[in-house]
Amino acid sequence: MARHFSELTTMRVGGPTREFVEAPTTEELVEAVRAADARGVRLLVMGGGSNLVVGDGGWDGVTVQVRSNGIDIDGATVRADAGVDWDRLVAVTVEHGLAGLEPLSGVPGTVGGTPVQNVGAFGTVTSDVLASVTVYDRRTGATQEWPRERCGFGSHRQSAFKHTDRYVVLRVTYELRRSDRSVPMTFESLLSRLGIRAGETADVADVRRAVLELRRERGSIVDPADTDTWGVGSFFINPVVANVPKAAEASPRYPDPLGTKLPAGWLIQHAGFPPGYGAEFGSGAVTLSSKHALALCNRGGATTLEVMRFAAHIRAGVHARFGILLGPECHLVNCSFDDELAAR
Ligand SMILES: Cc1cc2nc3c(=O)[nH]c(=O)nc-3n(C[C@H](O)[C@H](O)[C@H](O)COP(=O)(O)OP(=O)(O)OC[C@H]3O[C@@H](n4cnc5c(N)ncnc54)[C@H](O)[C@@H]3O)c2cc1C
C-alpha cells in the first residue's frame, strides 16, 4: 500500500510517495540511493520527517527513509549512523559521561538531519561539537569523510547539505568532552530553570532534564496527544536585516555577520498573530501553537494547501507591518507559500 507523507512527517500532511524504501544499514542506504539513481527516478532521502512538508500531490519518485542505527563511542569521539534517533544519541552520550550534546536534548529527528539544518537550541548548534560528516556523493558515487570546515556551516542555519540533493549523510562524528559539567550556559530560561547565573556551568544530566522539561512546556517535543507539536518546530527562519525597521525597534536583536537577526516569533506576534491564532482562518485546521507564535500546527485533518495558505497569510501580515518577508526554516517539497502569497 502506498505510504503517505501525512503518516511519515510530524506535520502530518502530504500525499503519497510513488515508492518507499527503508534503509536499515548504511550499506542498504547507499544501495537504495545508487539503485534509484541508476534507474533515473527522482529521489527523496528523509529521516524522521520532522522538518519536512510535502505537497498534497506527494512525491512522484522514490523516498528512502534512513534507519541505520549504530553508535560507536571511542573515548570522547562518538560516531553515529545517520538514522539514529537524535535524542537517543544525546541520552547515550550523557549516560557515558560525555558533555557537549545535552543542550540539544529532545530535538526531534535523526542524526542525519542535524547537519543539514545545523540544528540548534538553547544557544548551542551541532556544528559546535561536530568533527566530521561522512557523505555519499550522488554525482561521483564516492563516499567521503568531510571535516567540519568543509561542511559550510554558517549563521542562518546554512550548510553544504542544504538546498541540494547531491549529498546523502551516512554518518556523523562528534568530538565531545569527558566531563560531568556542561559548557557555560547563557540561555535565559535555562539559567533560571537550573538556578545558575550566565557563564556558569551545570551538571550535564541536570541540563538534559531541564531542557526536556522546558521543551515539553513549549510543545517542542513531538507528542501524539498534543496538536501543538504537530508541526515542524520553527516554521519560519529568523530574518537577518541590514537595518532594523522602526516598527521593530522594541524587538530583541542579535548580532549576525550579515546584519541584525530578529526573532521571527516576535515579529509574528507583534504583527497581530498571538499564540493560538488561526481558529478563525479558513477551516481552522492550521493555527499557531498555543504555546508560542513560531510553530504552525495541524489541528487534525489539515492539507498541505491549508498549511501553505496559512503560512502565506502570516507572512503577508508580517510584511505589511514590518516590511520583512519571512522565509521557511523547514524543507518544502512540491509545495510553496510564495505562490499562495502571489495569488492574493
Ligand atoms: C516539535 C518540533 C521541535 C523542533 N525543535 C527544533 C529545535 O529546537 N531546533 C532545531 O534546529 N530544529 C528543531 N526542529 C526541526 C527538526 O527537528 C530538525 O530540523 C531535525 O534535524 C530534522 O531531522 P529529520 O531526521 O526529521 O529530517 P527530515 O525532516 O526527515 O529531513 C529534513 C531535511 O533533511 C534532509 N535529510 C534528512 N536526512 C538526511 C540524510 N541522511 N542525508 C541527506 N539529507 C537528509 C531531507 O531530505 C530534508 O531536506 C523541531 C521539529 C519539531 C517537529
Side-chain angles (χ1 to χ4, degrees):
M1 209 173 69
R3 298 293 299 270
H4 284 65
F5 286 96
S6 52
E7 16 136 3
L8 292 168
T9 61
T10 54
M11 186 108 222
R12 300 180 181 223
V13 294
T17 173
R18 182 143 65 92
E19 291 176 47
F20 181 73
V21 178
E22 284 181 84
T25 65
T26 303
E27 293 69 32
E28 285 161 282
L29 171 58
V30 172
E31 194 37 52
V33 172
R34 278 206 178 116
D37 287 344
R39 285 163 56 210
V41 290
R42 299 176 78 201
L43 172 71
L44 176 65
V45 174
M46 68 175 291
S50 62
N51 208 27
L52 198 56
V53 183
V54 182
D56 295 311
W59 178 249
D60 185 23
V62 181
T63 300
V64 176
Q65 187 169 45
V66 187
R67 294 281 205 175
S68 48
N69 211 18
I71 300 176
D72 174 58
I73 299 180
D74 178 9
T77 305
V78 178
R79 288 184 192 81
D81 285 344
V84 170
D85 175 75
W86 172 259
D87 191 53
R88 181 180 151 237
L89 177 68
V90 179
V92 167
T93 58
V94 169
E95 278 159 24
H96 276 74
L98 294 170
L101 297 184
E102 64 285 352
L104 298 167
S105 295
V107 175
T110 60
V111 163
T114 54
V116 179
Q117 283 281 26
N118 193 13
V119 156
F122 295 102
T124 297
V125 281
T126 40
S127 58
D128 292 344
V129 286
L130 181 151
S132 67
V133 180
T134 305
V135 296
Y136 172 74
D137 182 342
R138 293 174 62 199
R139 197 173 296 169
T140 64
T143 296
Q144 293 177 325
E145 187 171 349
W146 289 12
R148 179 182 43 202
E149 301 69 45
R150 191 174 164 190
C151 296
F153 295 125
S155 67
H156 228 56
R157 294 287 160 92
Q158 287 156 339
S159 83
F161 316 108
K162 207 169 170 178
H163 307 308
T164 172
D165 58 4
R166 176 171 170 180
Y167 305 107
V168 179
V169 176
L170 302 180
R171 191 172 296 116
V172 184
T173 302
Y174 304 91
E175 214 46 72
L176 305 181
R177 285 180 298 113
R178 190 154 284 290
S179 170
D180 58 4
R181 303 302 292 177
S182 71
V183 286
M185 295 278 123
T186 53
F187 210 83
E188 194 47 57
S189 57
L190 196 49
L191 294 174
S192 54
R193 186 62 58 110
L194 289 163
I196 60 173
R197 286 194 300 266
E200 290 182 348
T201 65
D203 182 85
V204 167
D206 288 345
V207 173
R208 174 166 167 76
R209 247 190 312 277
V211 167
L212 289 174
E213 268 175 30
L214 288 166
R215 291 189 70 93
R216 234 170 252 121
E217 288 163 17
R218 252 179 93 78
S220 296
I221 290 186
V222 176
D223 175 357
D226 180 1
T227 57
D228 273 340
T229 73
W230 294 15
V232 288
S234 307
F235 191 91
F236 296 104
I237 202 159
N238 293 327
V240 174
V241 294
N243 301 302
V244 177
K246 215 169 167 36
E249 257 168 11
S251 166
R253 51 186 83 186
Y254 308 97
D256 184 277
L258 301 175
T260 304
K261 187 181 285 184
L262 302 175
W266 188 96
L267 297 172
I268 293 169
Q269 192 154 348
H270 289 82
F273 307 116
Y277 170 84
E280 61 278 59
F281 182 84
S283 72
V286 185
T287 74
L288 297 179
S289 161
S290 69
K291 302 178 178 78
H292 63 95
L294 192 48
L296 268 61
C297 304
N298 177 357
R299 296 300 175 187
T303 62
T304 308
L305 183 61
E306 286 175 303
V307 175
M308 294 302 112
R309 286 205 170 129
F310 189 70
H313 170 66
I314 298 293
R315 174 149 104 160
V318 169
H319 187 250
R321 174 88 179 94
F322 300 107
I324 294 173
L325 211 48
L326 295 178
E329 179 161 316
C330 51
H331 185 185
L332 304 180
V333 174
N334 285 346
C335 58
S336 159
F337 54 90
D338 286 332
D339 307 340
E340 283 304 312
L341 189 59
R344 258 132 221 278

